[in-house]
């Protein structure tokens, strides 16, 4: 009879291999100007007209690691939606949120490759183009803001953890903690809602459709991507979504967190997490509820 520890190890190995079974690599998804890797989680029982979530890793991360960290795949298996977990390998695996091409549409940045992953997935799996979502943590949250600003027509909603407003790192010599101009992460890029709105709109000039809904989370004690970046994101999206702060709900969704409601709370909410540093733990259940999945 095997010892308990052997059983435990075998069980853990089995669980982790089950966990990754649905994640596979796609190489032919279309133009990929910055050589991103596309990993896709397609549940064996796919819903008809499935929804899609694009889930963006932190600096130093990978799509595979973000899949393990967030557990969106487990929910995908239950509900039949698809998750794309891409990887960037440049600049310490940080997303391109600083360059002119990366902050423009169809201009050869990471955002263009990510948009093509979505277009490919909609086509290949006959997915519901009105149910495409984006989420991410840290650098992935910065990129979430950039995707929403440069490809607002692709996404219905977004959630993100511990990032910055779209355009905060524009012109910085890099996008990683080691290479970036620290002004943005330090919470020193402060603009009015009108200025942030103009910054984002300049990334897709002439766009006259609606912008995706956003739920953004930030730790008050963040000492890497400082807390003022939360307020700057809320200013930017309150301008783009045309909603202003209405009220707070304290201890939502858990003790110490404050849910900040804009308008009627269907387009923009912020979650301010007291005593929480970098990064706010991903809340997959709240994300799925926000997406309506
Ligand atoms: C942005 O960061 C990249 C590395 O990620 C770097 O190559 C580039 O020079 C940076 N700055 C600008 C303004 O493009
Ligand atoms: C703006 O709206 C017009 C009229 O509905 C449309 O033809 C045009 O393509 C839109 N522009 C963009 C950039 O979406
Ligand atoms: C709402 O909550 C935030 C985060 O705790 C706080 O900064 C802000 O002052 C609160 N606003 C009101 C009106 O209570």
């Amino acid at each position: 009879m095997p010892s308990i520890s052997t059983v435990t190890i075998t069980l853990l190995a089995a669980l982790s291999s089950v966990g990754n079974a649905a994640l596979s690599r796609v190489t032919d998804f279309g133009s990929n100007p910055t050589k991103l890797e596309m990993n896709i989680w397609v549940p064996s029982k796919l819903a008809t007209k499935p929804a899609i979530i694009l889930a963006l890793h932190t600096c130093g991360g990978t799509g595979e690691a973000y899949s393990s960290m967030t557990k969106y795949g487990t929910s995908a298996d239950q509900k039949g939606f698809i998750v794309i977990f891409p990887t960037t390998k440049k600049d310490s695996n940080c997303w391109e949120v600083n360059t002119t091409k990366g902050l423009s549409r169809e201009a050869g940045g990471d955002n263009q490759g990510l948009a093509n992953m979505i277009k490919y997935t909609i086509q290949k799996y006959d997915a519901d183009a009105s149910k495409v979502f984006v989420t991410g943590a840290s650098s992935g949250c910065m990129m979430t803001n950039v995707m929403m600003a440069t490809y607002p027509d692709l996404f219905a909603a977004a959630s993100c953890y511990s990032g910055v407003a779209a355009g905060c790192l524009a012109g910085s010599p890099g996008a990683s903690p080691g290479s970036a101009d620290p002004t943005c992460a330090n919470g020193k890029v402060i603009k009015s809602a009108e200025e942030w709105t103009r910054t984002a709109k300049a990334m897709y000039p002439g766009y006259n459709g609606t912008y995706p809904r956003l739920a953004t989370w930030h730790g008050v004690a963040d000492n890497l991507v400082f807390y003022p970046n939360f307020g700057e994101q809320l200013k930017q999206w309150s301008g783009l979504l045309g909603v202003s702060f209405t009220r707070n709900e304290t201890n939502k969704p858990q003790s110490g967190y404050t849910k900040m409601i804009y308008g009627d709370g269907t387009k923009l909410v912020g979650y301010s997490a007291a005593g929480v540093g970098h990064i706010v733990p991903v809340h997959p259940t709240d994300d799925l509820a926000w997406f309506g999945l």
Side-chain angles (χ1 to χ4, degrees), residues 90-91 94-101 169-176 179:
K90 293 176 305 297
D91 199 5
C94 299
W95 296 101
E96 184 182 7
V97 294
N98 65 315
T99 63
T100 305
K101 68 183 171 70
L169 276 149
S172 162
S176 70
S179 65

Side-chain angles (χ1 to χ4, degrees), residues 144-164:
T144 295
N145 278 263
V146 169
M147 292 309 292
M148 294 168 72
T150 53
Y151 291 91
D153 49 333
L154 284 187
F155 303 101
S159 76
C160 83
Y161 299 86
S162 312
V164 304

